Amino acid sequence: MSVAAGRDGEFKGNMEQSGRLAASLSEDGRYRLLVEAVTDYAIYMLDPSGVISSWNPGAQRFKGYTADEIIGQHFSRFYTDEDRASGLPARALETAVREGKFESEGWRVRKDGTRFWAYVIIDPIRESGGELVGFAKITRDLTERREAQEKLERTREALLQSQKMEAIGQLTGGVAHDFNNLLMAVLGSLELMRKRLPDDPKVLGLLDNAMQGAQRGTALTKRMLAFARRQELKQEAVDIPNLVRGMADLLRRSLGATVTLETRFPLMLDPVLADASQLEMALLNLTVNARDAMMPNGGHIVISAREETIPAREVGLAPGAYVRLAVSDSGTGMDAATLRRATEPFFTTKEPGKGTGLGLSMVHGLAEQFGGRFGLQSRLGEGTVAELWLPVASKASEPETPPPRRDHDAGKSQPLVVLAVDDDALVLTNTAAMLEDLGHTCRAVLSAAEALEFLKTDDTIDLVITDQVMARMTGLQLADAIHRQWPQIPVLLATGYAEIEPEAAAQVPTLAKPFTQAELAAQIARLAIRPRNGGQILKFRGHGTE
């Protein structure tokens, strides 16, 4: 890679001036003193065949040779084996003779064998009659400058990639949210229809097929939401070795007999802050991807982990302690173009119908939602390493003791009067129908403002079920207003994705969309609400029907 900063006008001017100075060296002691005083540049003389005839302190400083060691040696010893094999040293001298100067950048080798990035000028030295008597060679060590430039470019590239993925994630999350609402109406209606249709095997078979298709859509939206970092998570301290041991049977069944699985964990490994079930899903996804990369002959997969400390902020990672969880395979690997796109949603190299292209993007989104990051390292023919960087859990993140189960049937509760709030009429109709089928009375409104007005005039409401994302006032804001004015009325928040902060969500019971009637019934039963009134009238405010 060329270092642009090393080619600016001022730098070239200094190098050319030094080249002219070296080319005009004579027996005059003043020039010798000047050359020997320079320590940032290697300035030395070559005879016409390329043998070194002088050596200054600058050359000794960053090439490592003393004058006694190097004078009389051919200058090609500073070149890499590859450059010597290609004849670059000879071409450099030939170019200097033919064009009056040779100028380039490239790797050179120090006395200790290490490489450095050099900026080189070779000028021919001629007598007054034009006869070539040797060369003046000037070298500058630009390794630090080159590394800084490369780091800057890597950071810029990572930032652009991060911004690109963020934009795709916002779009994906919005689509998934709307898709969840559609699935909510489809699944709920199909579920209620199944209860009412006659026992006709053909009709029920078609209905079950429709429900399976909608459920696959639900799984798809969950992966989309995971990529968009809007999946609801329960983050707690997770012991990775224990988690992997608990998955052992599942992993063996998923990988098959042609794949060997090895785990490499240190004796002591701090727990990470993550959602255990989601981390299991991500790990399973990575191992299955690794298996597919080694088809059909199989191969070797290694799951390993080690602790790392990030001292300063990096792209995607705050300073702190992390566990680096890696899944490596001996598969075919990926080329650079595939590697760049591997975590984009819907990008897949699998045959049509064999993959959604959301597996790695889901893992990417989960890692970032955990407070870590996801990365891939791969080359064609060398396999792939997938890395999850997960933050080490603090002691405050120890898993909470689950609340005791209430002594009642989780699927049943006494008849309640429920106020349903959702700005999507399809979802609202579906929710109301589910509640009615469970034996509850439902009042349905299309906005938070309507809900507050309704509560002012109706004192029979036992429970409010509200959507989160609504115009002008969110479900969480509505819940806060209800708790201030009617603290005795519980609020259940229906959310299509993790659009609220975990701290806020902990204060309001939530129900993830799309939910089934059984999930709705179980959540209502867990609230153990004592009904104040009864009734079986289904009433839609704003729809003009009762």
Side-chain angles (χ1 to χ4, degrees), residues 146-159:
R146 182 176 189 270
E147 290 174 349
Q149 182 71 15
E150 286 183 332
K151 184 176 181 181
L152 178 62
E153 290 184 1
R154 286 195 302 269
T155 302
R156 185 183 294 117
E157 184 178 348
L159 180 60

Side-chain angles (χ1 to χ4, degrees), residues 199 208 233 241 284 293 324 368-369 390 476 507 510 541:
D199 193 15
D208 288 341
L233 300 177
L284 179 62
R324 187 177 181 181
E368 294 205 352
Q369 201 171 356
L390 302 169
L476 199 59
Q507 301 173 15
T510 59
R541 280 179 63 91

Side-chain angles (χ1 to χ4, degrees), residues 15-16 19 101-103 119-123 136-139:
M15 294 293 286
E16 290 170 359
K101 177 190 291 185
F102 173 80
E103 181 179 6
Y119 180 61
V120 175
I121 291 179
I122 302 176
D123 283 327
K137 188 169 186 297
I138 311 208
T139 305

Side-chain angles (χ1 to χ4, degrees), residues 353-368:
K354 296 294 180 67
T356 62
L358 283 169
L360 292 180
S361 60
M362 175 203 71
V363 178
H364 167 86
L366 281 175
E368 294 205 352

Side-chain angles (χ1 to χ4, degrees), residues 369-421:
Q369 201 171 356
F370 289 152
R373 74 178 178 201
F374 175 64
L376 289 171
Q377 300 174 29
S378 186
R379 287 186 180 180
L380 276 178
E382 298 182 13
T384 300
V385 179
E387 294 181 339
L388 270 168
W389 290 67
L390 302 169
V392 168
S394 64
K395 291 186 178 180
S397 305
E398 292 297 323
E400 298 178 0
T401 303
R405 292 183 59 85
R406 298 183 184 274
D407 189 17
H408 61 263
D409 184 348
K412 297 179 180 179
S413 64
Q414 298 181 62
L416 304 173
V417 180
V418 182
L419 177 62
V421 189

Side-chain angles (χ1 to χ4, degrees), residues 473-490:
M473 184 183 293
T474 67
L476 199 59
Q477 291 169 334
L478 173 61
D480 184 60
I482 291 173
H483 289 162
R484 285 199 308 269
Q485 298 183 57
W486 300 279
Q488 76 282 4
I489 300 178

Side-chain angles (χ1 to χ4, degrees), residues 142-355:
L142 295 181
T143 307
E144 290 184 2
R145 183 179 295 185
R146 182 176 189 270
E147 290 174 349
Q149 182 71 15
E150 286 183 332
K151 184 176 181 181
L152 178 62
E153 290 184 1
R154 286 195 302 269
T155 302
R156 185 183 294 117
E157 184 178 348
L159 180 60
L160 289 174
Q161 178 70 5
S162 175
Q163 291 172 337
K164 171 185 171 184
M165 299 300 279
E166 179 66 26
I168 296 175
Q170 290 178 356
L171 175 63
T172 303
V175 170
H177 174 261
D178 291 342
F179 194 35
N180 259 342
N181 276 344
L182 296 174
L183 287 170
M184 177 78 220
V186 171
L187 277 170
S189 297
L190 289 173
E191 189 177 17
L192 293 175
M193 284 173 59
R194 201 181 194 291
K195 291 183 175 183
R196 290 166 169 76
L197 285 174
D199 193 15
D200 184 332
K202 290 184 178 180
V203 173
L204 293 179
L206 291 171
L207 189 61
D208 288 341
N209 191 56
M211 290 187 69
Q212 288 176 18
Q215 286 163 355
R216 285 177 63 180
T218 301
L220 186 65
T221 58
K222 286 182 178 179
R223 289 192 168 196
M224 291 168 67
L225 292 170
F227 165 72
R229 304 190 301 281
R230 295 177 179 179
Q231 180 79 313
E232 290 196 70
L233 300 177
K234 180 185 178 182
Q235 297 203 68
E236 58 187 5
V238 177
D239 185 289
I240 287 179
N242 283 342
L243 180 108
V244 174
R245 279 192 289 270
M247 296 176 64
D249 289 340
L250 174 62
L251 291 173
R252 278 194 292 270
R253 289 196 304 272
S254 301
L255 298 179
T258 62
V259 177
T260 60
L261 179 64
E262 178 185 355
T263 58
R264 298 175 186 170
F265 300 130
L267 292 176
M268 298 294 293
L269 187 69
D270 282 335
V272 298
L273 185 63
D275 181 310
S277 62
Q278 295 292 337
L279 184 55
E280 280 186 353
M281 182 172 65
L283 197 55
L284 179 62
N285 198 292
L286 293 177
T287 53
V288 169
N289 269 5
R291 177 205 66 188
D292 292 345
M294 300 185 295
M295 297 290 283
N297 299 321
H300 191 62
I301 295 176
V302 177
I303 302 176
S304 61
R306 68 174 187 266
E307 290 188 31
E308 301 274 359
T309 299
I310 302 297
R313 185 166 191 87
E314 294 185 7
V315 176
L317 283 181
Y322 293 83
V323 169
R324 187 177 181 181
L325 176 62
V327 177
S328 58
D329 65 62
S330 58
T332 55
M334 292 180 274
D335 59 29
T338 303
L339 184 62
R340 279 194 300 272
R341 299 192 60 195
T343 56
E344 292 182 9
F346 307 112
F347 176 79
T348 180
T349 57
K350 297 179 181 179
E351 298 175 8
K354 296 294 180 67

